Amino acid sequence: MERNIERIAIIGAMDEEVVALRDGLTELEEHPTPFTDLPVFTGKLDGVEVVIARCGIGKVNAALATQYLIDQFSLKAIINSGVAGGISPEVKIGQLVIGHSSLQHDFDVSHFDYPQGTIPRLETSIFKGDPNLVELAFEAGENKVGAENIHRGLIVSGDQFVSSVEQKQSILAAFPTATCVEMEGAAIAHVAWLNQIPHVIVRAISDQADNTAPDDFDAYLLEVIPTLNGVIRALVRSAHQNAN
Ligand code: ADE
């Protein structure tokens, strides 16, 4: 299906993270999937061929959607867009984080002496964002929010909404360089790596992964997404130009 057209994939977990991008598509087409809950759309975003999926929350949903898009379409790049909780003290609500790498913070085989986050018997557990896409995403973000409001660093993902200082401190103790926490990025990165497809994670900070995170998430989710979407659109345009 659709193998003749090369596309950039944009994957977001929640409707709020993808609807405005979908509504910005020309030549919009919905593609039925065999799954109970995986809406997929193709079209042109600012003239660039893309496929957008709303994968659902968490690593399993994210991994399945990523592999499905890779199997069904001809992807030249994968962008994961969404919100995240800041865990580094420098990373504040409303700011942006570009993942130069990501890992699964809840992967725990420490019983066999593997450090937290290590996937045993896999060549790597830290999945690097494509350096070119990371640079383009950073430039796009910097243009939108200014250098003081954008970070580039390690993003950690897990099947947990982090909403207490204790939870946040324990993640920071295991991964002192982590910038922000979310629930899909490293799963998408893992599948992209297995398939050798370049990817980048772009996140806007909705909360600080502490005791006020649930309230902040509700308050800021819709507020931070328009800026994030602006960055994603600029990234799609520049990634497309760069490849041609
Ligand atoms: N996404 C946005 N905020 C988050 C948090 N605090 N924990 C996990 N995922 C998030």
Side-chain angles (χ1 to χ4, degrees):
M1 191 220 277
E2 294 284 337
R3 282 255 154 228
N4 48 338
I5 301 173
E6 280 221 310
R7 297 179 188 279
I8 296 175
I10 304 168
I11 303 174
M14 301 184 299
D15 286 333
E16 293 88 334
E17 292 166 323
V18 297
V19 281
L21 292 171
R22 180 204 61 197
D23 292 346
L25 294 182
T26 55
E27 300 173 34
L28 171 68
E29 223 180 296
E30 178 157 14
H31 293 258
T33 74
F35 306 110
T36 44
D37 191 24
L38 179 61
V40 171
F41 306 92
T42 56
K44 289 187 179 174
L45 190 61
D46 303 329
V48 183
E49 297 279 6
V50 298
V51 53
I52 297 178
R54 198 274 287 132
C55 68
I57 295 168
K59 292 186 286 142
V60 170
N61 286 323
L64 178 133
T66 308
Q67 189 61 55
Y68 179 71
L69 295 185
I70 291 169
D71 291 343
Q72 296 298 315
F73 298 92
S74 178
L75 301 187
K76 55 181 178 191
I78 297 170
I79 300 170
N80 172 221
S81 177
V83 293
I87 54 173
S88 155
E90 289 97 72
V91 175
K92 305 272 182 358
I93 293 172
Q95 295 186 334
L96 298 174
V97 176
I98 314 299
H100 72 41
S101 53
S102 64
L103 59 76
Q104 295 162 51
H105 70 77
D106 57 351
F107 215 107
D108 185 351
V109 192
S110 54
H111 183 79
F112 288 104
D113 289 336
Y114 291 98
Q116 182 87 16
T118 304
I119 304 169
R121 305 183 189 201
L122 195 65
E123 191 182 306
T124 186
S125 303
I126 301 174
F127 304 101
K128 288 199 174 73
D130 176 72
N132 187 40
L133 290 174
V134 170
E135 189 55 41
L136 293 176
F138 194 84
E139 280 169 21
E142 201 177 11
N143 287 338
K144 279 265 174 318
V145 300
E148 66 285 9
N149 289 313
I150 183 161
H151 307 268
R152 176 182 351 214
L154 173 67
I155 294 179
V156 296
S157 311
D159 289 320
Q160 304 167 356
F161 184 84
V162 179
S163 56
S164 75
V165 171
E166 295 74 33
Q167 225 179 333
K168 170 173 162 162
Q169 290 310 334
S170 102
I171 292 172
L172 265 180
F175 310 104
T177 62
T179 54
C180 66
V181 64
E182 37 82 312
M183 302 178 70
E184 298 83 22
I188 292 168
H190 184 162
V191 174
W193 177 77
L194 288 168
N195 288 271
Q196 297 180 280
I197 296 185
H199 83 277
V200 64
I201 306 171
V202 183
R203 293 276 172 168
I205 303 303
S206 56
D207 61 87
Q208 289 191 290
D210 53 13
N211 300 53
T212 60
D215 289 344
D216 290 340
F217 180 87
D218 285 340
Y220 293 105
L221 172 66
L222 294 179
E223 197 167 307
V224 300
I225 282 174
T227 304
L228 176 64
N229 284 345
V231 173
I232 297 298
R233 289 177 80 137
L235 168 61
V236 164
R237 290 192 298 268
S238 59
H240 178 71
Q241 269 162 17
N242 215 260
N244 289 316

